[in-house]
Amino acid sequence: MFRTALRNVLAHKARLLMTVLAVMLGVAFVSGTLVFTNTLSNAFQNSSAKGFDHVDVAVQPVDRKASGDDVGKDPELTQADYDKAAAVPGAASAIGVVNGFTAVADKDGKLIGGGFQSQGGNYWGAKDARYPLASGSAPHGTGEVALDSGTAKKAGYKVGDTVRLSVDGPVLTPRISGIFTTDDGNVSAGGSLALFDTATAQQLFDHKGTYDEIDVTAKAGTSQGALKTQLDKALPAGVAKTTTARKLADDQADRIASSMSGLKSGLLVFAGIALFVGTFIIANTFTMLVAQRTRELALLRAVGASRRQVTRSVLIEAFVVGTIAAVVGLVVGIGIGAGLRAVIGSLGATLPDGPLVVSPGTVLAALGVGIVITMLAAWLPGRRAAKIPPVAAMSSIHAQATGRSLVVRNTIGALFSAAGVAVVLGATTMSGTSGKGPMGLGAVLLVIGVFVLTPLLSRPLIAATAPLLRGFGVAGKLARQNSVRNPRRTAATASALMIGLTLITGMTVAAGSLQHSIDKMAADAISADYIVSLANGNPLSTDVDKKLKGTEGVTATTPLRNAPSRIDGDTEYLTGVDAATIGKLTHLTVQDGGFDVGGTNIVVDDDLAKLHHWTAGSTLTVHYEDGKAQRLTVAGVYEGDALMRGIIMDVTTLSPHQAHPADGQVMLTMSGGASEANKDRLVAALGDNPAIQIQDKQDISNGIAQVFTLLLNMLYGLLAMAVIVAVLGVVNTLAMSVFERQQEIGMLRAIGLDRTGIKRMVRLESLVISLFGGVLGIGLGIFFGWAAGQLLGTAMPTYEMVLPWGRMVVFLVLAGVVGVVAALWPARRAARLNMLAAIKSE
């Protein structure tokens, strides 16, 4: 039986090649994902480990927020703390670390690196071991800065050049004193790092006389643990915490692995979709091969082979095919992993150096997935083959699938579909967070139910194409009849396209609706012409609001100044605004009372009001971050949204309780409204600052739209693999159909249907099956897009479903193109059949 199985593998090379391709694509995706994420994770971990080469124990201030205390000032590491740390017996040296956001502009004034990766810090002394100088010297005074070599190369800077940069608002123009190398992970990811001398860094980052961290190295013979113990005794409890470099490196590795796990999971989901679609092809292929060998298998049964042996021979074939596909897929996946890394590099992201990582787990996963998926898909055709009675099979009268089995299938499918719809509808009545799980479960149940029901659905939906096919004469009529001749096979083929288009359509509907809702929200909630903020989301200097107030053409401004507080034992965030102008810059819907935030009056959003049982006229006691308390009056309750929510109060009431006042954003209106001329005027007023972004409402919406567009394009690219696998499935189905109808095709040729008619018949059959899958996929996608919108609508009152009719037409046309392309080879093969040989075939 083993030799028979091997012979059968080699006897059907062309058809098995399609199965190998289907499995190989899925395996390549899985192994490529694992190689890419493991390589990336390893490179960042090695890079982060190098970053701890010059520290044995790190001293950091105690983080109140980590313990749930958002109110109150965090302790700071003072010069006295540094002196104590440097003086412990086991310390060889100590470095005081200061860091913060620093935006660096290129020679055209554009921000270098992403806003969140633009960092600044201090260069310690004349020679900082953390940052070896490649050229120049250490920075001294407020007029000098050192840049990392990557940033300098990107922007074309060299020692002696003047560079434009910003910390929290005002533009600085220091001279570049030196260029250094670094293993900093942010720089490796394409960011920038600017270093000042310690006194300048403390002044710029608002750390006068204090440090963010103290890095201590141990003397020879002193372990990290021993040094940590000494530091714990020397430093004041409740102010400083100590961590060994080994622990820091381990924690960093865990954070990197955690960040990679999301990317890995997302990519593996799409690999799973490709493999799931591939199972249909494998099952169809082995069904075809078993059908071709019906007499041969019956003869084996007649000469003594048991049912188990026949099934085993089919599984052996599947094992061989799966092994070949898995090995090829692994090799291709390694190439994909290397390619993804190169693509990210070409997009401007600089990754740390490191080898391509092909772990034993990746190899085992690739082989296991390829072999197991193939054998599972082939088991059912093998089992069916073994159940055919030998005499019936040798007489070519073995029974086709009965109608009774379809009744059972339809009943199961109806139950799954009903349960899925019920669970999805139930989830739409829940809140966004609690409804995610039930909606996911309902979606899975519904997709399974529709897949099981596809044979039943194929007849009415394909029958609806009859008017269109009449124009193709006999070929069109035959194509329609052939497409419903074997409903199970048609269902399996259409389901491959259905799954891909369900995901694509659902994501497109949800993304388009969300974008429309955000546009509407911005229009409804804000009447300001511009919103000014830092590129990385950090707070702005209060000087920005002052400069904008004095800018020609500006008619009204208000800062949005945030601060934590304690109210009734809970942490609540306050937003300070200009009480005189906030009404001109927003038009929020007031549900109760009025919008008055002067003096000790505040307004609160409807969610907070409901939580604390506040109404217009209620009074409350707020405890500020400086520890002082004040009695405030709720003047009104407004309808909150994603752009404006929380407690809004007069900034002059809030600011005296803040140690370091800073604005999250500044909103403003200008005479003439939003225009290029007005925007240029604001840019010039703020000194062409690379760190500050000035956006109108459309810019905000466009920025969000770019994120959605990027995500959608990535998803389209990932789902393209499932579509490629679906094309192979259609090819397989048509090839099987042509094989089963050889005699019929020969008769059609004999009675006058020419080769062109045969080709047209097969192509139309493929087109009908593909469009059937496309219609199902788009229909399910719209339903899931609507359901997801209902969840989003609980947190976004302006949510409104928008159907992208143009894109859905494109999706349906692409489904048709898939059918036409997939039919090329089977149609040509059918047309070239020898009439006499086909008529004599059985």
Side-chain angles (χ1 to χ4, degrees), residues 526-613:
I526 299 174
S527 55
D529 294 324
Y530 291 103
I531 297 176
V532 180
S533 61
L534 274 185
N536 71 334
N538 276 6
L540 284 163
S541 167
T542 54
D543 292 339
V544 173
D545 182 45
K546 294 174 184 176
K547 285 186 177 181
L548 291 172
K549 283 184 187 300
T551 301
E552 181 186 355
V554 174
T555 56
T557 72
T558 182
L560 298 179
R561 190 169 299 174
N562 297 315
S565 70
R566 286 278 183 184
I567 301 175
D568 296 336
D570 296 328
T571 299
E572 301 291 357
Y573 279 83
L574 310 172
T575 300
V577 299
D578 188 328
T581 61
I582 186 64
K584 303 174 185 177
L585 297 165
T586 60
H587 36 80
L588 300 172
T589 303
V590 178
Q591 298 178 342
D592 182 23
F595 200 86
D596 175 18
V597 292
T600 57
N601 287 340
I602 61 172
V603 292
V604 299
D605 70 63
D606 48 350
D607 289 337
L608 270 180
K610 190 181 297 182
L611 178 66
H612 292 281
H613 307 291

Side-chain angles (χ1 to χ4, degrees), residues 292-313:
Q292 288 176 315
R293 303 204 313 271
T294 299
R295 285 193 170 189
E296 176 189 325
L297 295 174
L299 183 60
L300 289 172
R301 290 289 312 283
V303 297
S306 65
R307 287 185 177 182
R308 184 175 297 177
Q309 286 178 307
V310 170
T311 303
R312 192 181 301 151
S313 71

Side-chain angles (χ1 to χ4, degrees), residues 643-662:
L643 298 177
M644 294 290 291
R645 63 172 57 249
I647 300 173
I648 301 176
M649 64 188 301
D650 191 348
V651 70
T652 59
T653 304
L654 173 64
S655 294
H657 301 284
Q658 292 183 286
H660 306 288

Side-chain angles (χ1 to χ4, degrees), residues 699-832:
D699 290 332
I700 294 172
S701 296
N702 290 343
I704 298 171
Q706 286 178 355
V707 174
F708 290 151
T709 302
L710 177 62
L711 287 173
L712 275 179
N713 288 339
M714 289 176 60
L715 294 173
Y716 290 160
L718 294 170
L719 288 170
M721 183 165 294
V723 174
I724 292 172
V725 176
V727 171
L728 296 175
V730 178
V731 173
N732 252 2
T733 295
L734 294 175
M736 187 186 308
S737 180
V738 169
F739 165 74
E740 291 180 346
R741 301 201 314 266
Q742 286 186 76
Q743 190 176 57
E744 175 188 318
I745 291 171
M747 290 295 295
L748 289 171
R749 288 290 313 283
I751 62 176
L753 190 62
D754 58 12
R755 289 186 174 181
T756 302
I758 295 294
K759 287 182 181 179
R760 185 179 296 122
M761 176 186 72
V762 176
R763 287 170 185 163
L764 289 173
E765 179 183 348
S766 175
L767 180 63
V768 167
I769 293 173
S770 297
L771 290 177
F772 168 55
V775 169
L776 282 181
I778 291 173
L780 277 176
I782 291 173
F783 177 70
F784 290 139
W786 168 82
Q790 296 304 300
L791 278 185
L792 291 171
T794 60
M796 187 179 292
T798 58
Y799 184 86
E800 180 182 335
M801 182 175 173
V802 176
L803 291 178
W805 294 107
R807 290 202 179 190
M808 290 192 295
V809 169
V810 171
F811 297 156
L812 197 58
V813 169
L814 287 177
V817 171
V818 165
V820 172
V821 171
L824 293 177
W825 177 71
R828 183 168 176 269
R829 184 173 181 272
R832 295 181 64 183

Side-chain angles (χ1 to χ4, degrees), residues 268-289:
L268 286 176
V269 165
F270 290 97
I273 292 169
L275 285 168
F276 182 61
V277 172
T279 57
F280 302 142
I281 300 175
I282 301 165
N284 275 355
T285 300
F286 278 93
T287 300
M288 181 197 307
L289 297 176

Side-chain angles (χ1 to χ4, degrees), residues 414-426 438-439 441-447 783-784:
L415 291 173
F416 268 90
S417 299
V421 170
V423 174
V424 168
L425 292 178
M439 182 162 289
L441 174 62
V444 171
L445 291 173
L446 181 54
V447 169
F783 177 70
F784 290 139

